[in-house]
Amino acid sequence: MDVIVGHSNADFDVLAGMLACKKLYPEAILTFSGSCERNVREFITLHKHIIEITRLRDIDLDRITRFIIVDTKIAGRLGIFEKLVKKRKVVVHLYDHHPRGPKDIRGKLEEIKEVGATTTILTQILKRRRIPLTHLEATILALGIYEDTGSFTFPSTTREDLEAISWLLDKGANLAMVSDFMNRELSASQVVLLNELLASCKPYLINGIRIDIAQAESEEYIGDIAVLVHKIMDLENLNVIFTLVRMGERIYLIARSRLETVNVGDIAQEFGGGGHPQAASATIKKMSLERVKKRLIKVLKEKIMPLVRAKDMMSSPVKTISIDTTVEEARKILLRWNHTGLPAMEKGRLVGIITRSDIDKAIHHGFGHSRVKGYMSTNLITITPDTSLSGVQSLMLEHNIGRLPVIKRKRMVGIVTRTDLLRILHEDMVKKPYSQYDLAPDLSKATRHKVRDLMKERPPKEIRDLLKRVGKVGDRLGMGVYVVGGFVRDLLLGIENLDIDIVVEGKGIALAQKLAKELGGEAKRFPEFGTAVVILPDGFKIDVATARTEFYEYPAALPRVEFASLKQDLYRRDFTINSMALKLNRRGLGDLVDFYGGERDLKKKVVRVLYNLSFVEDPTRIFRAIRFEQRYGFRIDPQTRGFIENALGEGLFERLGNERMRDELILILNEKKPLAAVRRMEEFRVLRYIHPEIRLNKRIVRILEEFERRREEYKRMLKGEKVSWWLVNLLALIEDLDLSQTRQLAKRFKFKRKNFDKIIASKEIKKYLIHELSGRKRILPSTIYKRLIKLPLEVLLLILSKSKSPRLKERVTLYLTTLRKAKLRITGEDLKELGLRPGPQFKRVLDKVFEARLDGEVKSKGEEKALAKKLIGKRNVLHYLD
């Protein structure tokens, strides 16, 4: 038996959703798990000839085989039907528009989408399947959508809701009937309850945000409390309200919010309910009104993020100069740090600010040698760490200034710039956490929000535990600790990444030493860079660095390092998608810090630099842009592409150290599928910097394609072997270079000796060898062995990838899988026992026996020994073996 169930306190969206489900499950019966709102009850009474609701007492739960749930995923709202969710023999189908929650019911079939109404989802299905509707059915579905979207005024309303209504109007929905039931007058008992709620409504300032809480009691059940809540919000012009109404033994919590910083759906979940960020409810049993209110206030304090204040947006530490710094030196510092102004200090005290405009004018008039003291502004406007966002905004507008020093106890602790303010004003500071059920997370514009769910489910447990230990060490040392870069990027993309890079707002080396001591490892320190590597007992490594910035004295130079803030540390990264950090300290654990829109670019699948001169300062980033673009299926954004083309046009690769270019090339060629990146390099004309004679012709492409296609097969074939997979791709890329050109390339890039030799070996393969191994003539396994034994594995893989000869491939594969692994069972000791004295004949006898083993002439140790005895027995052993 199929049953379609609407939850308790059902509204028109529930009723409409149930009737739509009836069109999809014609044999199902309709029922509610509890009471309905008054308007819904009256509507059902008026139209009971077409809306047949089965009473709970008439349903045999044991006969139910398919359970269709409408407008909820919370088991606690299903009354007696809750037990069906856990029955293995009962198939659950879900239709709901509320956000996912960690304790949600899971169904075999789930139609879940965050739109304004569940009825919208079902209307889309009916439209898709071309299921006909009567005029009354279309009107009921329209009622559901109109009610749950507040006649399309609620923030949860989507374009899909409007499209659904448009289709229902085409099917004959009667808006006059919709209006009649949407705008019904309040009953006498509702008016009494509304007045009691208004009288009790009291504001609370929680984390800087006004929250209104109203409470009331009624001996009788009164429906449609949500209607009363909306009236209170409109009458009192409230942003957030929670109402608590005790009726009988239950307390009904109804919440509404117009602020993105207050997600009432999350808060209702703490009471066993749920809903949207803007509208939610819960039914609470076995608690007094005062206890519920007390717990509600506690939950609000835990869940509501505080309003943004200066301390939340300021940059710290601040780059400052002395009043005795020359104007020209100040200009260089501004350029180096990409700032537009600098605070000037005297004996540790802020006394002025000089801007880029001030400096440009002074230099223009020939005063570059003068001290900044004579040109800085001394009429300072400052703020405190607790200055509100609106206060910061007002001061900047009123005084037309772009930066405000943050002063605490006469000491400058940070600075808020116009950029900081714009970022806060135009980006949502707090968004919902990623749902643990999202296959592709909805990457929002938020600069900081919780990703605890991702941290719990995606990294391996040992990595999660390790990061928690890092955070605890940071807490004890009073330092801000963050995991940054690729780990954060791949966490959001759902890709495993075990490279742990830690940035410390404090002394990175001190934290590394403490962490190594606690974990039983060692810390390798690099004091000149403020970095260290923690090496754990199992060999796992954690890179730890003090927050720092880098500047380049000239294009393509190696960077110089200065310690800085987290924001500046992230700014020195190559691309926005690599410039995010995840906080590890207990306070703020799981906060995603994204100053530069990395999360946004992940969603857009874009590779974007952080600043315009990025490729000028470090041209190797061109390789990395190509690598990330092709690895993730992203695209280099048009402006970044323009910067690449400009850097190449300026000949910056010619100033780049060959070793740095080599290392980036190896990383590209070591990708699982490097051909796309190589094609992109050819498109940007980067390959000519590897060697001017490299051409990506059809033959080279075919070799690279073949190796890419069979790489996993080769890995299985050579399991446990040390193979430089990137080197095979390089050998393919330089296939058309001659020996002299290849030697020149290998020397220029200063490859390690073993790789240098392998590169040269690829050019010294004799043509007769390839011809022999490709021929039809039968070749003994021992001959194959002797022909191939001196060739590196990478060269053999190149031969396999470029040859079209099945016989050659078969023979090389035989060597790789079998022949080179063959071992003799007899040793020199066995030869001594047979009476052979040590000497040149030892090796010759063993070699002859080994050849026989390869050719299948001997198989056991006894047969090997017998053959050796026979060889030794010859009158002239050396002559015979020759």
Side-chain angles (χ1 to χ4, degrees):
M1 180 173 71
D2 293 351
V3 61
I4 299 169
V5 174
H7 59 73
S8 57
N9 302 320
D11 56 15
F12 275 116
D13 188 33
V14 176
L15 176 64
M18 291 168 64
L19 291 177
C21 279
K22 179 71 172 175
K23 305 291 285 186
L24 302 175
Y25 306 87
E27 302 302 319
I29 62 171
L30 305 179
T31 191
F32 294 102
S33 64
S35 59
C36 303
E37 292 183 353
R38 179 172 64 92
N39 280 2
V40 175
R41 289 199 307 273
E42 291 178 1
F43 190 91
I44 292 171
T45 302
L46 281 173
H47 301 283
K48 58 185 177 183
H49 59 289
I50 65 159
I51 304 173
E52 187 179 343
I53 304 296
T54 304
R55 293 178 299 182
L56 290 177
R57 65 188 180 193
D58 295 330
I59 297 173
D60 182 356
L61 295 183
D62 293 331
R63 291 183 56 214
I64 296 172
T65 55
R66 187 157 55 178
F67 184 26
I68 299 102
I69 305 171
V70 178
D71 200 45
T72 188
K73 299 182 291 296
I74 300 168
R77 302 193 72 184
L78 297 175
I80 64 170
F81 295 103
E82 182 177 352
K83 61 181 75 173
L84 293 180
V85 175
K86 298 178 182 178
K87 283 192 174 183
R88 290 185 179 179
K89 294 182 179 179
V90 177
V91 176
V92 176
H93 289 191
L94 286 172
Y95 296 88
D96 191 23
H97 72 125
H98 295 99
R100 285 284 193 185
K103 297 179 182 178
D104 283 353
I105 299 167
R106 301 310 301 268
K108 185 173 183 181
L109 182 146
E110 295 184 349
E111 291 286 351
I112 297 167
K113 191 184 295 184
E114 288 189 41
V115 291
T118 296
T119 307
T120 297
I121 300 169
L122 286 153
T123 300
Q124 290 174 329
I125 296 171
L126 296 176
K127 180 182 177 182
R128 206 161 49 238
R129 298 188 187 180
R130 298 182 178 179
I131 296 174
L133 295 176
T134 66
H135 291 183
L136 182 59
E137 288 170 340
T139 301
I140 295 170
L141 268 58
L143 254 173
I145 297 173
Y146 265 92
E147 183 183 64
D148 241 37
T149 61
S151 298
F152 308 111
T153 62
F154 293 168
S156 56
T157 304
T158 67
R159 184 186 65 188
E160 291 169 275
D161 300 303
L162 295 166
E163 290 172 347
I165 280 293
S166 177
W167 185 74
L168 291 171
L169 288 173
D170 288 341
K171 297 300 174 185
N174 186 334
L175 291 184
M177 185 182 291
V178 171
S179 177
D180 182 47
F181 275 88
M182 287 289 295
N183 300 306
R184 292 220 159 181
E185 291 185 3
L186 299 180
S187 67
S189 56
Q190 283 180 318
V191 172
V192 171
L193 182 58
L194 174 61
N195 288 329
E196 189 175 342
L197 289 170
L198 282 168
S200 68
C201 193
K202 182 180 177 182
Y204 292 81
L205 193 64
I206 297 177
N207 294 337
I209 297 173
R210 174 175 168 163
I211 307 292
D212 283 81
I213 301 176
Q215 62 186 72
E217 298 187 49
S218 174
E219 293 302 323
E220 63 172 323
Y221 177 80
I222 302 172
D224 298 350
I225 304 174
V227 175
L228 306 183
V229 175
H230 280 294
K231 286 189 178 293
I232 295 171
M233 284 194 87
D234 292 338
L235 288 169
E236 301 294 322
N237 194 24
L238 305 178
N239 283 323
V240 184
I241 184 170
F242 286 82
T243 59
L244 302 171
V245 181
R246 187 186 68 77
M247 290 187 279
E249 295 182 355
R250 299 182 180 186
I251 295 173
Y252 297 91
L253 182 153
I254 308 289
R256 296 292 184 267
S257 171
R258 291 172 177 153
L259 301 179
E260 291 194 6
T261 46
V262 182
N263 184 330
V264 294
D266 280 354
I267 294 161
Q269 281 185 11
E270 296 294 318
F271 295 88
H276 298 283
Q278 301 88 9
S281 63
T283 303
I284 305 154
K285 302 175 184 177
K286 298 179 181 179
M287 285 182 73
S288 69
L289 204 56
E290 284 307 311
R291 277 187 63 197
V292 173
K293 184 177 178 180
K294 188 175 180 180
R295 187 181 169 210
L296 173 62
I297 292 171
K298 181 175 181 290
V299 170
L300 289 170
K301 288 178 179 178
E302 292 172 354
K303 290 282 185 179
I304 295 176
M305 292 293 290
L307 283 175
V308 177
R309 301 192 181 279
K311 62 185 176 184
D312 303 310
M313 66 177 96
M314 71 183 188
S315 300
S316 179
V318 184
K319 183 64 181 175
T320 62
I321 56 174
S322 163
I323 60 172
D324 295 321
T325 305
T326 66
V327 170
E328 177 59 30
E329 181 59 28
R331 185 192 69 81
K332 291 178 181 178
I333 294 171
L334 281 177
L335 185 64
R336 181 187 305 166
W337 288 77
N338 198 37
H339 288 347
T340 57
L342 289 168
M345 312 294 285
E346 183 179 30
K347 297 179 181 179
R349 188 170 60 89
L350 176 67
V351 293
I353 287 181
I354 190 163
T355 67
R356 179 174 292 167
S357 175
D358 300 328
I359 288 172
D360 288 344
K361 288 176 182 176
I363 290 175
H364 176 74
H365 293 292
F367 297 111
H369 62 283
S370 301
R371 296 186 302 163
V372 297
K373 181 178 180 180
Y375 304 95
M376 67 188 187
S377 300
T378 55
N379 187 19
L380 298 175
I381 308 296
T382 64
I383 55 176
T384 71
D386 292 321
T387 301
S388 67
L389 175 64
S390 59
V392 170
Q393 187 177 9
S394 297
L395 286 171
M396 284 191 176
L397 290 172
E398 181 182 347
H399 298 282
N400 191 28
I401 51 179
R403 60 200 57 76
L404 289 168
V406 183
I407 305 297
K408 183 179 182 181
R409 295 172 189 165
K410 298 182 179 182
R411 187 173 64 88
M412 184 168 64
V413 294
I415 193 165
V416 176
T417 67
R418 187 180 287 116
T419 301
D420 296 325
L421 179 63
L422 289 173
R423 177 173 53 83
I424 297 298
L425 289 174
H426 293 282
E427 295 179 349
D428 303 318
M429 277 297 287
V430 182
K431 285 281 185 182
K432 62 179 184 178
Y434 292 113
S435 166
Q436 59 180 314
Y437 304 116
D438 283 347
L439 297 178
D442 179 19
L443 303 176
S444 71
K445 291 182 180 178
T447 55
R448 176 175 290 150
H449 61 92
K450 301 291 183 182
V451 288
R452 287 185 183 178
D453 285 347
L454 293 184
M455 285 293 288
K456 288 177 183 176
E457 67 187 42
R458 287 186 175 165
K461 184 179 183 301
E462 57 270 21
I463 296 296
R464 296 199 304 269
D465 293 342
L466 187 59
L467 292 176
K468 285 180 183 176
R469 290 289 294 273
V470 175
K472 288 178 180 177
V473 172
D475 287 334
R476 286 199 294 274
L477 296 176
M479 300 177 188
V481 185
Y482 302 82
V483 59
V484 302
F487 177 88
V488 181
R489 176 199 66 223
D490 288 348
L491 177 72
L492 297 182
L493 290 173
I495 299 169
E496 185 174 273
N497 187 331
L498 303 183
D499 290 333
I500 306 298
D501 291 305
I502 302 296
V503 167
V504 182
E505 288 184 312
K507 297 179 179 179
I509 291 177
L511 183 134
Q513 289 175 310
K514 184 71 174 175
L515 183 64
K517 185 176 180 181
E518 288 197 10
L519 297 176
E522 62 170 318
K524 292 182 68 175
R525 299 174 298 155
F526 304 94
E528 65 273 31
F529 300 112
T531 63
V533 179
V534 177
I535 305 171
L536 302 184
D538 62 359
F540 188 83
K541 295 178 180 178
I542 306 169
D543 291 313
V544 180
T546 303
R548 64 197 195 275
T549 189
E550 297 172 343
F551 65 92
Y552 298 76
E553 293 185 333
Y554 53 87
L558 287 170
R560 289 182 60 182
V561 172
E562 289 188 14
F563 300 133
S565 65
L566 175 68
K567 181 178 178 181
Q568 291 162 328
D569 184 281
L570 296 175
Y571 187 70
R572 72 183 176 84
R573 310 280 162 167
D574 47 11
F575 307 108
T576 58
I577 59 173
N578 295 329
S579 68
M580 294 175 286
L582 196 63
K583 193 165 188 179
L584 300 179
N585 300 90
R586 185 182 63 81
R587 186 176 180 180
L589 177 67
D591 278 359
L592 180 68
V593 182
D594 178 18
F595 294 107
Y596 307 110
E599 191 185 33
R600 171 202 63 209
D601 286 343
L602 281 181
K603 181 180 179 180
K604 291 183 175 180
K605 297 187 175 182
V606 162
V607 177
R608 188 193 314 273
V609 287
L610 279 85
Y611 54 96
N612 299 0
L613 296 180
S614 183
F615 296 121
V616 172
E617 293 182 343
D618 186 0
T620 63
R621 289 173 176 168
I622 295 174
F623 285 103
R624 296 204 285 278
I626 293 170
R627 176 156 53 92
F628 290 128
E629 178 190 48
Q630 299 306 320
R631 177 193 292 178
Y632 298 118
F634 285 13
R635 62 180 176 82
I636 297 172
D637 92 292
Q639 182 169 275
T640 300
R641 177 178 179 134
F643 294 147
I644 290 175
E645 291 169 347
N646 179 69
L648 292 171
E650 293 293 337
L652 294 177
F653 263 20
E654 295 166 9
R655 308 186 197 182
L656 192 61
N658 291 318
E659 293 92 334
R660 293 175 67 196
M661 194 186 303
R662 173 203 65 204
D663 293 343
E664 292 296 337
L665 177 63
I666 288 174
L667 287 172
I668 281 182
L669 296 178
N670 214 27
E671 291 283 309
K672 287 184 179 179
K673 295 184 177 182
L675 178 56
V678 173
R679 288 184 193 272
R680 196 71 153 136
M681 290 167 68
E682 171 81 347
E683 182 184 338
F684 280 120
R685 301 186 67 192
V686 171
L687 290 179
R688 61 190 174 127
Y689 294 102
I690 310 302
H691 194 283
E693 296 302 318
I694 290 179
R695 299 289 184 272
L696 196 61
N697 55 41
K698 289 182 179 179
R699 180 166 169 271
I700 303 299
V701 168
R702 188 190 65 77
I703 299 172
L704 289 168
E705 283 177 338
E706 178 69 5
F707 178 64
E708 195 172 283
R709 186 177 68 83
R710 300 188 62 187
R711 178 168 169 168
E712 292 305 313
E713 176 189 335
Y714 294 153
K715 278 190 172 183
R716 291 192 295 272
M717 183 192 301
L718 301 172
K719 190 175 181 180
E721 301 275 0
K722 279 192 172 183
V723 180
S724 297
W725 301 100
W726 64 267
L727 185 53
V728 184
N729 286 311
L730 177 64
L731 298 181
L733 199 58
I734 63 172
E735 172 69 11
D736 288 343
L737 300 188
D738 61 28
L739 179 59
S740 173
Q741 292 169 329
T742 301
R743 192 181 298 277
Q744 178 193 35
L745 178 145
K747 284 182 177 179
R748 181 164 70 90
F749 283 123
K750 297 182 180 178
F751 287 102
K752 291 180 181 178
R753 187 73 224 181
K754 62 178 182 179
N755 291 326
F756 183 96
D757 292 341
K758 290 175 182 179
I759 292 169
I760 300 305
S762 72
K763 297 298 178 182
E764 294 179 336
I765 302 172
K766 304 300 181 185
K767 287 186 179 180
Y768 74 80
L769 170 65
I770 300 299
H771 180 75
E772 180 185 10
L773 293 177
S774 302
R776 294 184 178 182
K777 184 178 178 182
R778 182 175 178 270
I779 303 176
L780 290 172
S782 57
T783 303
I784 296 172
Y785 181 89
K786 284 187 280 188
R787 298 288 185 270
L788 301 179
I789 183 62
K790 292 183 179 180
L791 292 180
L793 290 176
E794 293 82 0
V795 175
L796 292 172
L797 292 176
L798 174 69
I799 292 171
L800 278 177
S801 299
K802 76 178 185 178
S803 175
K804 295 181 180 179
S805 167
R807 290 188 182 85
L808 175 63
K809 290 186 175 185
E810 181 183 329
R811 286 160 178 166
V812 173
T813 301
L814 175 66
Y815 168 77
L816 288 171
T817 57
T818 306
L819 300 181
R820 71 191 185 90
K821 298 177 183 178
K823 304 287 182 186
L824 273 177
R825 289 180 172 85
I826 63 171
T827 65
E829 294 300 318
D830 294 305
L831 299 187
K832 286 181 185 179
E833 290 179 10
L834 293 173
L836 186 64
R837 294 179 180 178
Q841 60 269 38
F842 254 56
K843 182 178 183 307
R844 297 194 180 191
V845 170
L846 290 174
D847 285 348
K848 201 71 177 175
V849 174
F850 184 58
E851 288 176 20
R853 181 168 186 80
L854 292 173
D855 295 334
E857 296 172 6
V858 295
K859 293 182 174 64
S860 65
K861 182 175 180 178
E863 290 177 352
E864 288 179 6
K865 203 167 183 179
L867 177 58
K869 183 177 181 181
K870 180 180 177 182
L871 293 171
I872 293 169
K874 299 291 182 180
R875 183 173 295 179
N876 187 342
V877 175
L878 287 177
H879 175 75
Y880 176 77
L881 293 175
D882 285 339

